[in-house]
Amino acid sequence: MFPSTSLIYCGSELIGAVLGTGRLVGENSLQLWISNPTTNNIPQFYSLNSQGEQARLLGKDTKQIVKIDR
């Protein structure tokens, strides 16, 4: 649908949450990207099944996404 788009995401700087989906370079499958207080604000990457549902954990980042204190 959008061949030049590789990542679509949204987030909240107040709680440091991010939810997104995207493709790895050279691959056609999509990944889910989640970071929120439940994941201790550490990004986690999941494969998606044929229905677009979260499937297998592919990996975790090593750094937290920092929330902005106001």
Side-chain angles (χ1 to χ4, degrees):
M1 183 177 247
F2 302 101
S4 63
T5 301
S6 61
L7 178 65
I8 298 172
Y9 67 95
C10 60
S12 167
E13 63 186 26
L14 294 178
I15 62 171
V18 177
L19 176 66
T21 187
R23 295 189 200 300
L24 292 176
V25 175
E27 293 190 21
N28 199 29
S29 60
L30 291 173
Q31 278 190 10
L32 177 65
W33 171 29
I34 300 173
S35 176
N36 58 39
T38 303
T39 69
N40 199 26
N41 292 62
I42 296 174
Q44 297 183 355
F45 305 93
Y46 292 86
S47 62
L48 297 175
N49 66 21
S50 62
Q51 300 299 311
E53 299 165 331
Q54 178 179 326
R56 184 173 56 93
L57 177 65
L58 299 173
K60 298 179 183 180
D61 206 330
T62 58
K63 297 181 182 177
Q64 285 183 314
I65 294 180
V66 180
K67 65 180 181 179
I68 297 175
D69 293 321
R70 294 183 186 216

